[in-house]
Amino acid sequence: MVSIIVNGIDVSVPEGSTVMQAAAAAGFTIPSLCSHPDLKVKENCKVCVVDINGEIKLSCSEAAAPGMVIKTMTPAVLEAKRESLKKILELHPRDCLNCVRNLNCELQALAETLIIRSSDSKPLSLVKDTSTPSLVRDPSKCIACLRCVEVCNDIQTVGALEVKDVIPQTVDGKPLIETKCVMCGQCALACPVGAIVENEQIDEFIAAVADPDKVVITQIAPAVRVAVAEEVGIDTGSLDMLKFVSMLKQIGFDYVFHTNFTADLTILEEGNELLQRLKEGGVLPMLTSCSPGWINFIETFYPDQLDHLSTCKSPQQMFGPLAKTYWAEKMGIDPAKIYSVSIMPCTAKKFEAARLEMNASGYRDVDLVLTTREVGKLFRMTPWDVAKVEPSDFDSLLGAYTGAGVIFGASGGVMEAALRTVYEVVTGKTLEDVNLTMVRGFDGMKEAEVDLDGTKVKVAVANSLGCARKIMDDIKAGTSPYHFIEVMCCPGGCIGGGGQPIPSTIDKRKERIAAIYAEDAGLPLRKSHENPEVKLLYDDFLKEPLGHKSHELLHTHYAPTNK
Ligand code: SF4
Ligand code: SF4
Ligand code: SF4
Ligand code: FES
């Protein structure tokens, strides 16, 4: 341990800690812009300066050493911080009221903290990149912290961004859609300002609600509920699901359903697909297909391995056609009038909903995707006293769910949900302990072996595209030992999706995962095949997993992209 003094307080920190970390241990947060708790030190912004034994130095990169005396706020430190910040602001547009990150922007907050009331500004006028349905890149707001480049190139291993003359840009300066970008939005989560943001579509939703000819319905993804609490200022996971339903009805939805329903349905379809491949010698390992950033990744980087993917659509895209066929018919509603909005943790879902082939219902299956952050903004248009909101039930036919559907939101959740069902289907026995903890947790890679009445099935879970790349390289080399692999694009799974609340640090992602498993543990039904509305759907409409109607509405094909 290293002992130092910060603002007169003795503190001991582990060897190798930075001065910034030592100050945090003593209770002082040092304002900064380019540092991020989950990323490498960058030394770009120079606003993290402190006084170390009488010298002004960067706290993010200086290692804490025995006997150091640190002062985080002296007139000279303040002056140096303000100078660094003014340099950044000189090139920055004063556009806060028009900015997606207004009121959740690290630069704006820092300018307020350091009381920068004026500084000359000649922002560069650069063109916004609106080429993807998922994200908008506004290089004029970029402060060149380079967080996005590390996330895209090192964690996701996509390589859509590069650094030219210390400024990040898309590879060869191409529009994002023409790069290898998979629309995961991890760069948007890391960006301290409004330089990469979700493609905000709140006005489209408001217009749909105002149209008397539209029946506006929604599905809420499993990862959204735990995180949306953060958007309304309460603890992660503490927003009662049924209050959430009421709040969505208040902002204009006519019917509220749950993507957990089609998560349960996915398990029935995907579980049976796995069993069919195991029995009939189909292509193994089978890879899950519910994460659209992952689908974009495999289509772009491993186009010759697409037959490993399950043919199941994602739960979002299973819900879309079912709402405009089965549910519309049962309710006697003209499907042409249904406006289907998904509430998702994910920016890649906006891209997925816009894929040309996603029209199995005869209409656009999902009309609009709003992220958790966008729904947070809609909620903040009406200030809520959440304590006073009366709960409402989900609407029926597509609204029932089990704990297995809930855990889809966390890395390992799809695998655990699948194993809960596959075990019972194959063995005919009851799975007494449904907590399959070996596939849970934040680790990038997890593996397990399951005994299905004498057949040993080897499974693995990968979260983040960097881990997916390792899995794919093994599959390509013919050395993968697995039968079934879950891949999620985003670190931690959908709870860390690119549309989730900011900040989405690793610690925050872990809190969301804990909230997901707590919800699962408290539910009366925890296996997908026990979902009563899924059973009804098969009895009344689909007839059987992998049947004709399922193939028409719930399964898809993948195509190589030539990016
Ligand atoms: S990035 Fe931040 S400081 Fe810049 S315009 Fe947007 S909110 Fe304002
Ligand atoms: S969305 Fe993902 S793939 Fe695209 S630039 Fe950002 S981090 Fe890279
Ligand atoms: S786009 Fe955002 S994350 Fe990337 S360098 Fe610019 S400010 Fe940093
Ligand atoms: S946080 Fe230290 S230089 Fe940016």
Side-chain angles (χ1 to χ4, degrees):
M1 298 293 277
V2 178
S3 296
I4 68 171
I5 298 171
V6 183
N7 295 341
I9 296 173
D10 290 313
V11 64
S12 292
V13 287
E15 204 88 37
S17 302
T18 62
V19 168
M20 186 182 268
Q21 288 164 335
F28 300 98
T29 303
I30 296 178
S32 65
L33 276 175
C34 67
S35 79
H36 184 284
D38 307 334
L39 301 175
K40 292 178 198 137
V41 171
K42 308 230 167 351
E43 296 187 307
N44 285 334
C45 71
K46 320 277 190 237
V47 297
C48 65
V49 289
V50 293
D51 180 314
I52 302 178
N53 298 343
E55 276 184 72
I56 304 285
K57 290 189 172 169
L58 297 180
S59 62
C60 66
S61 53
E62 196 71 24
M68 270 183 175
V69 177
I70 312 294
K71 290 177 188 154
T72 62
M73 188 51 77
T74 66
V77 166
L78 180 58
E79 180 63 24
K81 280 182 186 299
R82 283 177 156 173
E83 277 312 306
S84 301
L85 192 55
K86 279 180 184 169
K87 275 192 195 138
I88 294 168
L89 290 170
E90 270 166 23
L91 294 172
H92 197 83
R94 309 303 168 88
D95 193 26
C96 299
L97 289 183
N98 293 318
C99 185
V100 170
R101 290 293 294 271
N102 190 25
L103 300 183
N104 186 10
C105 169
E106 294 180 42
L107 179 61
Q108 192 186 50
L110 196 54
E112 175 55 22
T113 305
L114 298 181
I115 318 182
I116 308 277
R117 295 285 180 241
S118 65
S119 82
D120 291 335
S121 165
K122 285 199 189 104
L124 302 174
S125 165
L126 300 169
V127 181
K128 270 191 197 176
D129 181 345
T130 56
S131 61
T132 82
S134 297
L135 294 155
V136 173
R137 209 178 148 262
D138 183 350
S140 67
K141 290 187 185 150
C142 177
I143 61 166
C145 72
L146 305 187
R147 291 180 186 178
C148 57
V149 180
E150 181 182 342
V151 168
C152 185
N153 296 357
D154 299 351
I155 297 175
Q156 298 295 60
T157 67
V158 170
L161 304 174
E162 64 183 8
V163 183
K164 200 166 178 198
D165 301 330
V166 302
I167 304 291
Q169 61 162 36
T170 51
V171 166
D172 297 332
K174 289 179 185 163
L176 205 51
I177 197 77
E178 290 175 26
T179 70
K180 293 184 188 295
C181 174
V182 300
M183 328 269 163
C184 68
Q186 291 301 305
C187 50
L189 290 182
C191 185
V193 295
I196 309 182
V197 293
E198 65 276 19
N199 173 23
E200 202 173 66
Q201 293 179 293
I202 290 173
D203 287 346
E204 280 95 318
F205 166 71
I206 292 171
V209 168
D211 183 340
D213 285 334
K214 286 197 165 86
V215 177
V216 185
I217 67 169
T218 190
Q219 51 168 317
I220 313 161
V224 171
R225 203 275 302 172
V226 293
V228 80
E230 297 161 25
E231 290 285 333
V232 293
I234 57 177
D235 289 345
T236 302
S238 66
L239 179 60
D240 182 303
M241 202 63 195
L242 301 185
K243 288 190 176 199
F244 189 18
V245 174
S246 293
M247 291 163 78
L248 291 169
K249 293 219 166 153
Q250 295 258 3
I251 62 171
F253 286 107
D254 297 309
Y255 295 89
V256 176
F257 301 107
H258 213 307
T259 319
N260 287 354
F261 170 80
T262 34
D264 280 334
L265 181 64
T266 300
I267 291 303
L268 273 289
E269 293 289 325
E270 199 168 70
N272 278 287
E273 187 184 354
L274 174 66
L275 292 177
Q276 195 177 59
R277 289 193 192 204
L278 285 167
K279 257 193 232 149
E280 296 174 6
V283 177
L284 293 172
M286 187 174 91
L287 302 164
T288 58
S289 54
C290 41
S291 165
W294 151 237
I295 295 297
N296 293 342
F297 182 84
I298 187 170
E299 285 183 334
T300 302
F301 293 97
Y302 297 91
D304 51 345
Q305 304 295 319
L306 295 175
D307 53 359
H308 285 277
L309 280 171
S310 159
T311 60
C312 286
K313 289 180 184 170
S314 71
Q316 163 175 282
Q317 294 304 141
M318 287 197 181
F319 180 95
L322 285 176
K324 293 192 182 185
T325 55
Y326 168 69
W327 182 76
E329 199 182 304
K330 289 269 183 192
M331 297 293 290
I333 296 174
D334 177 358
K337 292 189 169 177
I338 297 175
Y339 190 78
S340 183
V341 181
S342 314
I343 302 177
M344 292 285 140
C346 177
T347 47
K349 288 277 177 200
K350 288 180 186 263
F351 178 84
E352 181 187 42
R355 288 175 79 120
L356 292 178
E357 69 271 24
M358 294 299 171
N359 59 1
S361 60
Y363 304 87
R364 191 103 290 268
D365 292 333
V366 171
D367 296 286
L368 184 72
V369 177
L370 297 175
T371 60
T372 313
R373 291 198 291 278
E374 288 168 274
V375 168
K377 284 180 185 171
L378 279 163
F379 282 167
R380 290 196 293 275
M381 285 177 180
T382 308
W384 297 91
D385 181 348
V386 175
K388 291 191 179 147
V389 176
E390 289 295 326
S392 306
D393 280 334
F394 281 93
D395 288 293
S396 60
L397 295 180
L398 307 171
Y401 60 90
T402 72
V406 171
I407 61 176
F408 260 59
S411 163
V414 177
M415 179 59 69
E416 182 169 344
L419 293 177
R420 288 178 189 177
T421 286
V422 166
Y423 177 86
E424 294 205 350
V425 170
V426 173
T427 65
K429 296 177 197 156
T430 302
L431 182 64
E432 297 301 343
D433 183 4
V434 297
N435 298 304
L436 306 174
T437 52
M438 66 280 195
V439 289
R440 295 185 186 179
F442 200 82
D443 291 349
M445 290 285 302
K446 291 161 276 188
E447 57 177 4
E449 187 172 89
V450 190
D451 186 344
L452 297 178
D453 254 1
T455 307
K456 305 263 192 238
V457 175
K458 278 176 93 77
V459 301
V461 172
N463 72 95
S464 85
L465 295 177
C467 295
R469 189 178 285 284
K470 290 187 193 114
I471 290 254
M472 289 314 299
D473 287 343
D474 287 348
I475 291 177
K476 212 172 164 172
T479 55
S480 175
Y482 305 112
H483 299 96
F484 185 31
I485 303 174
E486 175 200 297
V487 184
M488 288 291 153
C489 167
C490 297
C494 303
I495 50 81
Q500 289 284 67
I502 297 173
S504 271
T505 56
I506 290 176
D507 285 348
K508 193 41 92 180
R509 291 174 202 226
K510 286 180 177 170
E511 264 181 57
R512 294 176 193 154
I513 289 174
I516 288 256
Y517 286 110
E519 186 177 359
D520 165 44
L523 286 170
L525 298 178
R526 299 179 66 191
K527 298 166 193 162
S528 296
H529 54 286
E530 293 174 347
N531 183 323
E533 289 188 350
V534 169
K535 287 184 194 172
L536 190 66
L537 174 69
Y538 278 112
D539 289 347
D540 279 8
F541 187 69
L542 296 174
K543 302 305 173 197
E544 57 177 344
L546 307 183
H548 174 70
K549 267 234 171 328
S550 289
H551 272 292
E552 201 180 297
L553 299 176
L554 311 180
H555 291 256
T556 188
H557 58 275
Y558 310 96
T561 49
N562 296 313
K563 283 182 171 178

